[in-house]
Amino acid sequence: MRLLGLPGLDPYNFPQQEAWRYRRALRRAQNRIVASGQVILGPGVAAFEAAFAAWIDPALAPESAVGVANGTDALELALRAAGVGPGDAVALPSHTAYATLAAVLRLGGRPLFIDLASERPVLCPEALEQAIASHPGAVRAVIAVHLYGEACDLGRLSALCERQGIPLIEDCAQACGTRYAGQPVGRHGRFACFSFYPTKNLAACGDGGAVVARSPDDAEHLRRLRFYGWDASRQAVQFGVNSRLDELQAWLLATKLNDLERRIAQRRQVAEWYRQELAELPALRLPGDGELWRHSYHLYVVQLLPALRDRALAACRAQGIPAGLHYPLACHQHAYAAERFGSRWSLPHTEALLPRILSLPLHPYLPRRQVRQVARALRGVLVEGR
């Protein structure tokens, strides 16, 4: 923790803390690029893709992971590879980062918003099954979002999608390092999509993303999709876009991938400090592991009474604590989505959750004294009434 004493280094700022710790790795990445002369889709990307595929599942071929420009592109290309096109219905939770919906809209798809599980910010299998039954033959794909670092009920969701013949796409943007049944999430869907945005558990120094495909044919399709639809001879044989992971990010991510399990353990330690500091506070629900899964704590999102949430948020911010809301609006409540698809959706669990959530700062390097500062701010609202 000596690094925290450096002038100007903010203990709450994860990208700043991360950039300082990996500054030498970034220089090594630059040197590799100078040595190879390749900045796009070179040896660094190939090495990272192979390492990432093996990390998800050692049984996967090295080509199963396909690096792309960002997490939104990862979702869009997975949807395209799954055969989703203009007008096709895609089932997804409305409570997610808007990027999930943006990927559907970019290819002209039609969102079918599904409610959350009771008391959890992830897709409800029963609600999904009812929606599929209410729209026979219409749902062309399901996006299961592992929000905040929590895992969806992958066993039930994958079984349901398999019975219905519907591709399951795991949105793992906030769950790199989350485990389900002892294994990293990303193993159950036909595709798994990741973001390496600088705030993520596995963070680039800029944008980046990846799609992991179970099938070699799907992986090859994705490789053509990300590069104009070109085959090995650079002839366009299908539709394609320009969405490529660059060498600088790939070399840096490969280094950070080696540290990922340790970083997740550090996140879990900070979450344990929060549990110790906040467990006795009234009317506060803390996140934690499930019966079949282990949290990676991309975000630390507590729940409290709506009447107290905004007061707690204001108290934190008044003390320089960067608490936040992920997310103040569900996707169907955004003006553009409401205008195009209507705002009257039956999503009772989603709409009950939104006014209760509060994101507290958490990253692998957060000192315990900052956790105590956050706890004091919440205690002032929830116990002392300040």
Side-chain angles (χ1 to χ4, degrees):
M1 293 301 178
R2 288 179 300 165
L3 293 172
L4 297 175
L6 291 174
L9 205 60
D10 181 354
Y12 286 117
N13 189 313
F14 171 56
Q16 185 185 59
Q17 295 278 337
E18 184 96 335
W20 175 260
R21 283 166 173 79
Y22 285 96
R23 65 196 185 280
R24 293 185 182 89
L26 188 58
R27 291 196 196 104
R28 288 195 298 271
Q30 293 172 323
N31 291 338
R32 286 185 170 117
I33 292 169
V34 171
S36 71
Q38 290 184 265
V39 294
I40 296 289
L41 295 184
V45 171
F48 171 70
E49 289 174 338
F52 193 64
W55 181 79
I56 294 292
D57 185 349
L60 288 174
E63 298 80 15
S64 300
V66 180
V68 296
N70 54 68
T72 310
D73 282 5
L75 285 167
E76 180 190 348
L77 297 189
L79 288 165
R80 290 187 182 278
V84 177
D88 288 339
V90 177
L92 72 159
S94 186
H95 181 52
T96 179
Y98 191 83
T100 309
L101 174 59
V104 177
L105 300 182
R106 276 168 48 169
L107 50 75
R110 179 168 51 89
L112 180 62
F113 294 119
I114 309 298
D115 204 8
L116 301 177
S118 177
E119 303 297 326
R120 290 195 61 215
V122 294
L123 203 62
C124 174
E126 292 88 355
L128 175 62
E129 188 166 19
Q130 292 170 10
I132 291 172
S134 299
H135 300 79
V139 179
R140 295 296 304 275
V142 172
I143 301 178
V145 181
H146 303 302
L147 200 67
Y148 304 153
E150 298 200 22
C152 295
D153 189 340
L154 285 169
R156 295 174 65 191
L157 290 176
S158 58
L160 172 60
C161 288
E162 187 174 350
R163 287 197 307 272
Q164 298 290 337
I166 300 172
L168 174 64
I169 298 171
E170 293 182 60
D171 183 343
C172 306
Q174 296 189 7
C176 193
T178 299
R179 290 185 170 263
Y180 181 88
Q183 305 297 335
V185 295
R187 287 185 169 208
H188 285 70
R190 178 173 167 182
F191 301 100
C193 300
F194 293 82
S195 168
F196 305 129
Y197 186 76
T199 60
K200 304 300 186 189
N201 291 2
L202 182 59
C205 189
D207 272 319
V211 189
V212 177
R214 308 299 306 177
S215 152
D217 289 343
D218 281 339
E220 181 59 29
H221 189 185
L222 287 164
R223 288 178 181 279
R224 293 192 297 264
L225 273 173
R226 75 171 174 186
F227 201 6
Y228 307 136
W230 284 356
D231 63 11
S233 65
R234 296 205 164 196
Q235 177 178 331
V237 296
Q238 65 177 66
F239 174 84
V241 300
N242 178 0
S243 180
R244 300 168 299 197
L245 184 65
D246 67 67
E247 285 286 282
L248 185 71
Q249 305 303 345
W251 284 120
L252 181 62
L253 289 166
T255 297
K256 291 186 176 185
L257 182 61
N258 292 328
D259 298 338
L260 182 58
E261 298 296 344
R262 183 157 57 101
R263 299 296 180 234
I264 298 301
Q266 290 173 290
R267 287 177 178 273
R268 291 180 61 83
Q269 177 61 75
V270 176
E272 173 60 19
W273 290 339
Y274 270 125
R275 189 195 65 77
Q276 293 171 10
E277 296 288 340
L278 302 175
E280 300 304 319
L281 292 186
L284 190 65
R285 180 172 181 176
L286 308 181
D289 297 337
E291 184 178 350
L292 292 176
W293 59 275
R294 283 171 62 83
H295 210 306
S296 65
Y297 294 106
H298 168 62
L299 294 171
Y300 192 85
V301 179
V302 301
Q303 297 181 39
L304 64 168
L305 295 174
L308 296 172
R309 196 276 303 275
D310 289 346
R311 289 173 56 194
L313 176 63
C316 286
R317 291 180 172 175
Q319 298 181 42
I321 299 168
L325 303 178
H326 296 87
Y327 298 91
L329 293 177
C331 289
H332 74 283
Q333 295 173 330
H334 284 262
Y336 178 73
E339 180 181 347
R340 285 199 59 187
F341 307 108
S343 57
R344 295 181 179 274
W345 295 81
S346 180
L347 305 171
H349 292 146
T350 300
E351 295 184 0
L353 180 69
L354 291 178
R356 298 177 59 91
I357 53 176
L358 178 65
S359 301
L360 306 182
L362 186 151
H363 61 72
Y365 320 114
L366 191 69
R368 187 160 190 172
R369 64 178 175 270
Q370 261 61 50
V371 173
R372 291 186 177 123
Q373 181 188 16
V374 175
R376 284 195 299 271
L378 292 179
R379 194 174 293 114
V381 172
L382 300 180
V383 178
E384 300 164 15
R386 291 186 282 108

